[in-house]
Amino acid sequence: MEDSVPLHVRHVHKLSIFINRSHSLIHSIAIAFLIYYRASFLFQDPKTRASPTLPWLLLFASELLLSFIWLLGQAYRWRPVTRTVFPERLPDDDKLPPIDVLICTADPDSEPTVEVMNTVLSAMALDYPPEKLHVYLSDDGGSPLTLHGMRQAWWFARGWLPFCRRYRIATSCPQAYFSAPEDDGGGGSSEFKTERQKIKERYEVFKDSIAKVRERGGTNDNGRITARDHPSVIEVIQDDHANDTVPPVDQAKMPLLVYVSREKRPSHPHHFKAGALNVLQRVSSLISNSPYMLVLDCDMYCNDPTSARRAMCFHLDSNISPSLAFVQFPQRFHNISKNDIYDSQLRSCFSVLWQGFDGLNGPVVSGTGFYIKRESLRRGVIQQDVNLEELKQSFGSSNELIKSFRQNHKPNVINSQDGLLKETQFLASVAYENDTKWGKEVGFLYDSVTEDLFTGFMLRCKGWTSVYCDPLRPQFLGSGITNLNDLLSQGTRWSSGLVEVGLSKFCPLIYGPPRISLLESMIYGDLTFFPLIYFFPLWCFATIPQLCLLDGITLYPKVSNPHFVIFVFIFLSAISKHLQEVLTTGGSFQSWRNEQRIWMIKSITTHLYGSLDAIMKRMGVREASFLPTNKVEDDERVKLYQMGKFDFQTSNMFLVPMVALIILNMASFTGGLFRVMFLGEWDKMFVQVFISFYILIMNFPIIEGVMIRKDKGRIQSSVTLLSAVFSCGILFLGFIFLL
């Protein structure tokens, strides 16, 4: 393309840069004064110190850790950018490169088959030349129900895809489309309405077929086949015109649809989602061998069929394409309530941080919704002068896979269909990756359950870049978390995976600086260390000032002391900056409060457990574990979520710390009020009383769950009793060791 007609434009937000950098400078000065105030305590005569040394040191360490993670986070705000694309300037369809769509599912019980097939169908309906679009579904559960769903999806797609093309349907996910008003496309003509009704009836037949098979327990007649123990199954889904009322569709107008279930055995590691994606890469290399791949979670359907063309505006731009690894779209969710009590939309990440990340050579791989260059995942191992044996040491013993690297992205390197099927099954076998570099240097990496972050970081260290594209219409929509249990379970898994990378030999703060810029290293350091850094300070701030308040020990300057202004300024500066970011990205004061609350809850639960899990795995005490987040909606839980009420039906492991700290802060606040009102100690105890008050106000839903609510989602009395005992234990240990 000529330089005069760029495929995309980058917008640098100069006002945001000025605000962010000014705030960083002023806030840094305040932190320096705080550190000076705290450090000066250590030079006082121990006999004349007003406070015990240990609690003071713990608070000082907490403030240093929070200051450090805050400093790392300023890299996001250094140079935020946004981008505008011009798909109409792309070359003609016959010159567009092919794309392979890789979708992963693992369990039809937690990831309903109908929803998975809706994602598959939405991908097949992308606004892209159908002969250049190939959709692969990885079924890690090896479920015959999922394979049946794929066949039925193909049957439905033969009517659905022409309908979408004819009437330019923007919502290409059938489930979402039929839930919307009927005037989407066709201009409201009678012909459109008639055809829409026929397609809707066909969709109901499609759903009923899957439901009937599910009611019969699937189509598996071999009881020895389980989700963890099954052979590889590869099937290219093709037409079956028997008993079909829809005329056959020209095969060239249908994207290729392939079902892939890799072999899994209990005696072999399968490496979770990263392992599934690497199998899809190998299988697709033989079948279609497209230069670009779209990776999707099974619940993240295509909400706008133009995403592929938007991504190509970057991949085909000669100014950035040689080093561009992937184009990342934000994760958006279709089931988020107006209140969003669990911060399920991840607003801060996808509306603020990733824009700043994009200003520093692009964001990290974010799990789903990214178009990635196949070549980037080969880590530059393939070169013209590399011999066959060296390639086999990296990519395995398949000669056909090695040949596909030299095919210039031409598909079907094997002429025989039987030979192709046999070879792809070999590529999907459990033993194929033995003694290779898959998961180590090529493909998605295995050393962390957060394979997306680790892979993205290593791509950046190898010199690859990325871009972030956030159009007004969400390109992909998924199912957000609507209950506390899934939020905390997922948070624990993510925290563990992130800390694993931080504690590995690839620690971004050490491994990164020689290879990438300091600001980028700071961002990756923030991503990998924030769970480990947050849990200790938040536990300290939720316990130590409270224990000292009950015993009349002051840990902060008096209100009349000039140093008091430092603490007030830092607190107001931090929360006001957060509030400003929330409001400027379309949020509200309620959104700010919800995010503050969830940050506190996660810090004392998921960040703690995830960090401990990562540490134990690094010590060899336990193995990595992964469970997919439940996508099945429970009507009662959804109702509570829509009402803005917390659903406390979760593990005591999560509930007891939350409730225990609330009980401790209630006791502390009560004792603090007594000291302020009757002993006249408001001047020296104000900050500690305020800390307890702030914690209680921000976490009122927990108090409500303990003392007020009577519904099923309340906190059970047994949990409250256990939490009270735990709180007493904190008091006992505090008075022994701290005071």
Side-chain angles (χ1 to χ4, degrees):
M1 300 299 293
E2 297 180 5
D3 293 338
S4 58
V5 284
L7 292 174
H8 81 281
V9 174
R10 183 179 61 182
H11 310 281
V12 179
H13 293 251
K14 295 183 179 180
L15 178 59
S16 296
I17 290 174
F18 174 77
I19 293 173
N20 292 342
R21 294 183 184 181
S22 299
H23 175 263
S24 297
L25 175 62
I26 297 171
H27 197 84
S28 297
I29 294 173
I31 288 176
F33 279 112
L34 183 148
I35 293 173
Y36 171 79
Y37 171 77
R38 288 294 189 193
S40 63
F41 173 85
L42 302 176
F43 295 95
Q44 297 176 9
D45 186 346
K47 296 180 180 179
T48 60
R49 288 174 182 166
S51 306
T53 303
L54 183 56
W56 188 281
L57 288 176
L58 289 174
L59 276 191
F60 188 20
S62 299
E63 290 160 353
L64 288 175
L65 286 173
L66 289 180
S67 299
F68 176 67
I69 200 68
W70 172 85
L71 178 63
L72 294 181
Q74 296 315 294
Y76 291 109
R77 297 162 176 85
W78 189 253
R79 191 171 179 267
V81 301
T82 54
R83 299 177 186 267
T84 301
V85 297
F86 306 101
E88 66 276 7
R89 298 176 181 174
L90 285 170
D92 295 336
D93 285 359
D94 61 340
K95 296 180 181 179
L96 291 175
I99 296 175
D100 291 342
V101 182
L102 312 183
I103 304 171
C104 294
T105 186
D107 181 6
D109 292 327
S110 60
E111 298 165 340
T113 304
V114 170
E115 292 187 16
V116 175
M117 294 309 121
N118 268 272
T119 299
V120 170
L121 288 163
S122 71
M124 295 178 71
L126 284 170
D127 178 21
Y128 210 72
E131 69 277 7
K132 296 187 176 185
L133 193 61
H134 319 96
V135 181
Y136 296 80
L137 177 71
S138 169
D139 175 22
D140 247 16
S143 170
L145 176 61
T146 305
L147 178 55
H148 173 76
M150 286 282 280
R151 293 166 180 162
Q152 291 300 304
W154 176 268
W155 171 82
F156 175 71
R158 287 173 48 222
W160 174 246
L161 299 188
F163 174 75
C164 289
R165 292 170 190 150
R166 186 177 303 117
Y167 297 106
R168 298 185 180 276
I169 303 299
T171 306
S172 57
C173 171
Q175 183 170 300
Y177 174 73
F178 290 120
S179 301
E182 295 189 11
D183 59 353
D184 183 4
S189 67
S190 59
E191 179 186 1
F192 165 72
K193 291 181 178 179
T194 300
E195 190 162 353
R196 185 185 191 278
Q197 183 60 33
K198 289 181 180 179
I199 294 296
K200 187 174 183 180
E201 292 172 359
R202 188 175 174 88
Y203 180 62
E204 294 301 322
V205 173
F206 159 72
K207 291 197 301 181
D208 289 343
S209 173
I210 295 176
K212 289 177 181 177
V213 172
R214 184 176 183 84
E215 288 174 3
R216 295 198 301 266
T219 57
N220 181 15
D221 297 325
N222 188 350
R224 292 177 298 176
I225 295 179
T226 65
R228 297 186 60 192
D229 191 357
H230 58 79
S232 59
V233 178
I234 316 291
E235 180 174 322
V236 178
I237 310 298
Q238 297 177 341
D239 273 334
D240 179 6
H241 303 313
N243 300 321
D244 197 351
T245 58
V246 175
V249 179
D250 184 355
Q251 188 75 19
K253 296 182 180 180
M254 290 285 287
L256 184 72
L257 184 61
V258 183
Y259 171 87
V260 179
S261 179
R262 59 177 171 147
E263 181 184 11
K264 291 177 73 174
R265 303 299 179 191
S267 58
H268 288 73
H270 55 84
H271 305 295
F272 314 110
K273 181 181 175 182
L277 286 173
N278 284 342
V279 169
L280 286 181
Q281 284 184 71
R282 296 195 294 270
V283 171
S284 64
S285 291
L286 263 63
I287 296 177
S288 53
N289 202 26
S290 300
Y292 300 99
M293 301 178 292
L294 164 63
V295 177
L296 287 177
D297 283 346
C298 63
D299 68 324
M300 187 66 67
Y301 66 80
C302 301
N303 184 60
D304 188 335
T306 66
S307 67
R309 294 182 183 272
R310 291 177 184 274
M312 289 305 112
C313 288
F314 299 103
H315 279 301
L316 300 184
D317 189 325
S318 59
N319 293 322
I320 63 173
S321 60
S323 64
L324 181 63
F326 62 92
V327 178
Q328 178 68 61
F329 290 91
Q331 295 182 31
R332 305 295 184 195
F333 306 97
H334 62 81
N335 60 337
I336 301 299
S337 68
K338 184 178 180 181
N339 193 350
D340 190 20
I341 55 176
Y342 301 124
D343 187 27
S344 300
Q345 63 183 322
L346 303 173
R347 181 211 56 82
S348 177
C349 177
F350 293 113
S351 296
V352 177
L353 303 185
W354 263 221
Q355 292 182 1
F357 215 160
D358 195 18
L360 300 173
N361 289 312
V364 71
V365 176
S366 305
T368 181
F370 59 93
Y371 287 83
I372 190 165
K373 187 182 296 180
R374 187 185 292 270
E375 181 65 27
S376 68
L377 292 172
R378 293 169 181 168
R379 303 296 190 280
V381 173
I382 302 174
Q383 299 173 4
Q384 293 296 327
D385 57 347
V386 177
N387 62 45
L388 181 62
E389 289 304 315
E390 288 179 306
L391 288 175
K392 286 186 175 182
Q393 290 176 6
S394 296
F395 297 98
S397 58
S398 172
N399 290 326
E400 303 301 335
L401 178 64
I402 301 300
K403 288 179 183 178
S404 72
F405 300 159
R406 308 297 190 195
Q407 292 295 317
N408 194 24
H409 305 298
K410 294 180 181 179
N412 296 325
V413 296
I414 304 175
N415 294 325
S416 166
Q417 283 296 111
D418 291 338
L420 178 64
L421 178 61
K422 184 177 179 180
E423 191 69 18
T424 54
Q425 289 176 334
F426 172 53
L427 292 173
S429 63
V430 293
Y432 183 79
E433 293 184 355
N434 292 347
D435 301 320
T436 70
K437 294 182 180 179
W438 283 102
K440 302 180 183 69
E441 294 183 27
V442 298
F444 288 86
L445 305 184
Y446 293 158
D447 283 351
S448 169
V449 294
T450 52
E451 76 292 324
D452 48 359
L453 176 133
F454 190 27
T455 302
F457 172 63
M458 295 306 294
L459 282 173
R460 185 68 200 97
C461 289
K462 294 291 184 180
W464 292 96
T465 61
S466 61
V467 297
Y468 183 58
C469 185
D470 186 12
L472 289 177
R473 179 181 173 93
Q475 302 296 285
F476 305 97
L477 285 176
S479 299
I481 289 176
T482 57
N483 67 81
L484 186 63
N485 182 67
D486 286 353
L487 175 78
L488 300 181
S489 298
Q490 182 189 73
T492 301
R493 184 174 71 246
W494 285 357
S495 295
S496 176
L498 295 173
V499 174
E500 273 186 298
V501 178
L503 297 180
S504 71
K505 65 180 180 180
F506 301 105
C507 170
L509 297 178
I510 299 174
Y511 187 83
R515 299 165 178 85
I516 57 179
S517 70
L518 176 61
L519 288 174
E520 290 175 273
S521 298
M522 290 170 62
I523 288 180
Y524 284 108
D526 176 86
L527 286 170
T528 56
F529 281 114
F530 79 84
L532 186 63
I533 291 179
Y534 272 141
F535 85 81
F536 176 78
L538 268 290
W539 268 94
C540 285
F541 283 122
T543 56
I544 294 175
Q546 292 76 1
L547 294 171
C548 291
L549 177 59
L550 289 172
D551 203 43
I553 298 173
T554 180
L555 297 174
Y556 294 91
K558 297 179 179 180
V559 175
S560 57
N561 190 319
H563 292 102
F564 172 78
V565 177
I566 299 173
F567 290 86
V568 173
F569 178 84
I570 290 176
F571 174 76
L572 293 178
S573 172
I575 65 172
S576 61
K577 186 65 173 73
H578 181 207
L579 180 60
Q580 176 256 329
E581 292 178 346
V582 170
L583 296 178
T584 54
T585 53
S588 62
F589 179 83
Q590 192 175 49
S591 303
W592 168 83
R593 183 188 62 189
N594 291 337
E595 291 183 17
Q596 288 279 312
R597 178 189 302 129
I598 291 300
W599 169 65
M600 294 180 186
I601 290 175
K602 282 185 174 181
S603 294
I604 64 169
T605 54
T606 65
H607 294 346
L608 169 63
Y609 297 134
S611 298
L612 293 178
D613 184 68
I615 292 171
M616 287 190 291
K617 278 184 278 191
R618 284 296 166 191
M619 295 173 61
V621 176
R622 57 166 297 174
E623 295 182 357
S625 59
F626 174 84
L627 292 174
T629 303
N630 187 16
K631 307 300 189 307
V632 179
E633 292 188 347
D634 182 297
D635 290 340
E636 289 189 25
R637 289 188 161 189
V638 171
K639 185 177 179 180
L640 286 173
Y641 171 71
Q642 295 295 336
M643 293 170 59
K645 291 187 176 183
F646 271 65
D647 176 16
F648 290 106
Q649 298 177 81
T650 186
S651 170
N652 287 354
M653 179 179 75
F654 296 128
L655 286 179
V656 170
M658 289 191 292
V659 179
L661 292 180
I662 289 298
I663 292 174
L664 176 63
N665 277 269
M666 290 176 70
S668 172
F669 181 65
T670 303
L673 285 181
F674 175 83
R675 290 184 173 279
V676 168
M677 296 173 64
F678 298 103
L679 301 181
E681 296 181 348
W682 72 272
D683 187 35
K684 71 173 186 176
M685 291 299 182
F686 174 79
V687 175
Q688 286 161 252
V689 173
F690 176 79
I691 290 174
S692 289
F693 174 75
Y694 185 74
I695 290 173
L696 294 175
I697 289 296
M698 296 301 295
N699 294 279
F700 179 74
I702 300 177
I703 301 174
E704 185 183 41
V706 172
M707 304 178 65
I708 302 175
R709 288 172 54 184
K710 303 298 181 184
D711 56 83
K712 189 176 180 180
R714 71 186 185 281
I715 296 175
Q716 300 295 326
S717 300
S718 58
V719 175
T720 304
L721 180 60
L722 184 60
S723 302
V725 173
F726 185 61
S727 183
C728 290
I730 295 175
L731 281 169
F732 177 74
L733 293 175
F735 284 124
I736 290 178
F737 294 105
L738 296 179
L739 310 179

